[in-house]
Amino acid sequence: MAKLTGGVSPIGMGLAFMDWACHLATSPGKQMDLLTRSYAVPVTADGQLADGRFSGPDWQRWPFQQYAQNFLQCQQFWEQATTGVRGVAPHHSQVVNFTARQLLDMLAPSNFLATNPEVQRAAMESGGRSLADGALNWRKDVCRKLAPPGMAVPEPADASYRPGVEVALTPGEVVFRNELMELIQYRPQTATVYREPVLIIPSWIMKYYILDLSPENSMVRYLVAQGHTVFMVSWHNPGAAERNLGMDDYLERGLYAALDQVTAICQQAPIHTVGYCLGGTLLAIGAAALGASDSAAHGTLASVTLLAAQTDFSEPGELGLFIDDSELAFLDALMWKQGYLDGDQMAASFQLLHARDLVWSRMMREYLLGQRSAPNDLMAWNADATRLPFRMHSEYLHGLFLRNDLAEGRYQVGGKPIALANMAGPLFVVGTERDHVSPWRSVYKLHLLTPASIDFVLASGGHNAGIVSEPGHAHRSYRRMAAAAATGGYRSPDQWLAQSELEQGSWWPCWQQWLAQHSASKQIKPPQLARNASLGAAPGHFVLDA
């Protein structure tokens, strides 16, 4: 059943709709409000429809304008109908509202040839070529999806971005490898370097080279050029044989093993640690456990930087719609059969959160207009999916998302509960404005969990583009309030937003200056590159795992 539904629980969905329908049926006031309310169509200052799907001039003509207006009014009706019904459990209300939006987006007039004037115009002007191109695009995608292993199929447009060839090009060496990860040490590009190295822990939901894309937008290259000795963890892409890898394995054989190696190579120097997404959550767990320990095991942390990483999961955004006991029972069943969560299955969940832009608008553009999006390095990385082992993902979803054990002091490391209050500062925490994976207000909640000094930055963009925000990138901005300026006690996220200053450009230089401020003032000669011919040059082997 889980395989048939893609891991979605029909039982959980049915309970949500039953809860909503029963309470709506016994709410005559809500029913009367829905029947008598007027639903105005939102328009822009120049009179065009405010929804971007219907903003073109062709949509101003009858009957297409009527199609769009009727759709937007229907959309408003169901938004009102699925929210504000007294007695409905908040989670059930959110599930019903989300499902209604997805169904409506699927049926939008922009998705069909007969009701989309822009598609009709393109077909007429091209003599039908746009429709023929769209049909070919559809055929290629279907053949690629259904092709058995080993069968030759057309390569996707973004296949030209290969790690070590077009992306992940910063020079370095693999200096350590175990069954779970490779550790890359990057070659210095300056005569002297800061004494404190930078160790980056990316998420194993993704390939590490999101932080080492093309040379012009590589965070690794930027840090190395600024005089930092940089190390990067590259995770092994697990298969069914690794089904029993758990969160403790990623902590011990991932984070702690990397800290041990960097400490040895850099002669016991304190380490600036950086964690991205789930890698940041792991780093917070490790930093809390080390902060509670009296020993100096695994080295000394000079600072902790968390990039779009949640530590409190009580408000995880729309990802929380997929997290309840019934949903996790189905997802566990799906993963138990496979031994892992497949990357395509995970990508489908993320696409569902923004199906309007990532699914329906893309399908309209590629299959009706016959236009392929120009490939780029970020798209290629996004298509380079990874897998998650059964045990780890189940522990992550049950312990962190469902029960919020980390924020509430129940998460255990080595059989002992840990508290984020034990994290030693300083902390540099980055959230992104349009993050549907780690909503920035959820990331901000770390302020409530630790007394450590926190510099918080809110970057423009989403979960990936907001982090890959190199200097010179157009239309980038960020807000920051330094820990020293955050006087007067706790500020809510909205208070912080109102009081922070908007800065134009990339947040990377701001962060690099912060790293420099928390490093020794005197720079040193670069540490000896720990070359080992048997381990090879960056980007290593694990990043190439299919």
Side-chain angles (χ1 to χ4, degrees):
M1 178 71 74
K3 187 174 182 180
L4 180 66
T5 64
V8 175
S9 168
I11 299 171
M13 189 75 68
L15 289 173
F17 272 87
M18 183 177 295
D19 186 6
W20 166 76
C22 289
H23 282 93
L24 180 61
T26 55
S27 301
K30 180 69 173 181
Q31 296 173 25
M32 184 62 67
D33 178 60
L34 291 173
L35 292 174
T36 58
R37 179 187 293 266
S38 60
Y39 301 96
V41 177
V43 295
T44 61
D46 57 2
Q48 290 191 343
L49 296 176
D51 193 303
R53 291 170 292 184
F54 315 116
S55 60
D58 288 330
W59 286 100
Q60 306 308 309
R61 296 187 289 108
W62 188 90
F64 304 107
Q65 185 182 53
Q66 194 64 48
Y67 294 156
Q69 289 179 348
N70 291 345
F71 172 78
L72 293 175
Q73 288 175 327
C74 180
Q75 189 171 256
Q76 288 184 41
F77 172 85
W78 283 106
E79 175 67 22
Q80 294 296 323
T82 56
T83 57
V85 181
R86 295 181 62 185
V88 181
H91 178 69
H92 288 166
S93 178
Q94 294 164 3
V95 169
V96 173
N97 176 260
F98 176 81
T99 305
R101 281 189 283 120
Q102 300 308 308
L103 292 174
L104 285 170
D105 286 341
M106 181 173 63
L107 299 174
S110 55
N111 296 341
F112 302 96
L113 171 62
T115 53
N116 188 325
E118 295 174 336
V119 172
Q120 294 177 16
R121 176 184 291 274
M124 292 179 62
E125 292 178 350
S126 66
R129 177 62 183 269
S130 61
L131 294 177
D133 289 343
L136 288 174
N137 289 341
W138 175 83
R139 180 179 178 275
K140 290 178 182 178
D141 289 348
V142 170
C143 289
R144 190 177 302 118
K145 188 71 175 177
L146 300 180
M151 180 179 177
V153 294
E155 288 289 338
D158 51 22
S160 58
Y161 291 92
R162 296 161 294 175
V165 182
E166 289 85 14
V167 292
L169 295 176
T170 306
E173 296 288 331
V174 177
V175 296
F176 175 76
R177 179 186 295 129
N178 61 23
E179 67 278 12
L180 194 57
M181 64 90 175
E182 293 177 328
L183 182 66
I184 301 171
Q185 179 183 359
Y186 291 95
R187 296 176 189 169
Q189 297 180 8
T190 54
T192 60
V193 297
Y194 294 97
R195 176 171 177 260
E196 296 80 3
V198 176
L199 169 62
I200 303 177
I201 310 295
S203 171
W204 50 99
I205 291 176
M206 55 185 75
K207 296 288 182 73
Y208 87 84
Y209 65 94
I210 177 67
L211 301 176
D212 186 24
L213 288 169
S214 302
E216 66 273 9
N217 61 357
S218 166
M219 179 183 286
V220 170
R221 185 177 291 263
Y222 173 79
L223 289 173
V224 173
Q226 301 302 312
H228 295 279
T229 300
V230 180
F231 293 82
M232 175 74 77
V233 168
S234 174
W235 299 103
H236 173 56
N237 193 7
E242 289 81 25
R243 62 182 302 125
N244 288 320
L245 287 174
M247 288 291 291
D248 284 347
D249 295 302
Y250 280 86
L251 183 65
E252 292 288 343
R253 289 184 271 171
L255 173 61
Y256 287 171
L259 286 172
D260 291 341
Q261 294 297 319
V262 175
T263 298
I265 292 171
C266 295
Q267 302 178 357
Q268 312 302 313
I271 303 169
H272 290 302
T273 53
V274 184
Y276 182 19
C277 187
L278 179 53
T281 304
L282 183 75
L283 175 58
I285 291 170
L290 294 176
S293 174
D294 295 330
S295 70
H298 311 304
T300 304
L301 306 189
S303 70
V304 174
T305 295
L306 303 179
L307 307 178
Q310 294 182 96
T311 49
D312 184 309
F313 292 81
S314 58
E315 295 179 347
E318 289 190 329
L319 269 181
L321 297 171
F322 301 95
I323 309 297
D324 58 33
D325 290 288
S326 178
E327 182 62 47
L328 293 191
F330 270 73
L331 195 55
D332 279 348
L334 181 66
M335 292 190 297
W336 176 262
K337 180 70 173 179
Q338 299 174 164
Y340 54 82
L341 182 69
D342 188 77
D344 290 339
Q345 294 165 330
M346 183 166 48
S349 297
F350 290 138
Q351 289 177 355
L352 187 60
L353 297 178
H354 285 271
R356 175 188 299 184
D357 299 321
L358 300 181
V359 179
W360 307 118
S361 293
R362 182 188 65 81
M363 291 178 66
M364 183 274 291
R365 185 177 61 254
E366 296 191 355
Y367 300 157
L368 295 182
L369 292 175
Q371 301 172 356
R372 284 289 199 193
S373 300
N376 58 50
D377 50 7
L378 191 58
M379 287 175 55
W381 165 84
N382 195 55
D384 195 2
T386 59
R387 296 175 291 273
L388 298 178
F390 163 74
R391 180 181 170 191
M392 184 286 305
H393 199 219
S394 183
E395 291 174 347
Y396 173 59
L397 293 179
H398 285 273
L400 299 180
F401 265 97
L402 188 62
R403 297 195 301 266
N404 204 20
D405 285 349
L406 180 59
E408 297 180 10
R410 293 186 299 271
Y411 192 91
Q412 294 192 356
V413 172
K416 298 179 180 179
I418 63 169
L420 291 171
N422 292 324
M423 292 178 67
L427 300 175
F428 193 95
V429 180
V430 181
T432 59
E433 290 178 348
R434 300 189 301 277
D435 197 331
H436 59 279
V437 178
S438 303
W440 79 266
R441 286 176 174 82
S442 181
V443 172
Y444 184 87
K445 285 190 171 188
L446 184 60
H447 286 85
L448 297 170
L449 303 175
T450 177
S453 168
I454 298 177
D455 283 54
F456 190 82
V457 165
L458 178 60
S460 61
H463 187 72
N464 298 323
I467 300 302
V468 184
S469 180
E470 71 283 358
H473 195 127
H475 311 301
R476 294 298 192 201
S477 63
Y478 66 95
R479 292 180 177 273
R480 181 195 181 195
M481 185 179 292
T487 58
Y490 172 74
R491 289 172 169 82
S492 72
D494 291 326
Q495 286 176 318
W496 180 92
L497 186 66
Q499 296 171 9
S500 60
E501 296 184 6
L502 179 65
E503 302 283 348
Q504 298 298 324
S506 167
W507 59 269
W508 288 8
C510 167
W511 174 47
Q512 192 278 323
Q513 292 167 14
W514 183 88
L515 290 174
Q517 291 169 5
H518 293 89
S519 301
S521 58
K522 183 179 180 180
Q523 296 194 3
I524 63 172
K525 290 184 178 180
Q528 184 68 31
L529 190 67
R531 292 183 63 91
N532 188 322
S534 65
L535 298 183
H541 298 307
F542 285 176
V543 75
L544 304 178
D545 290 345

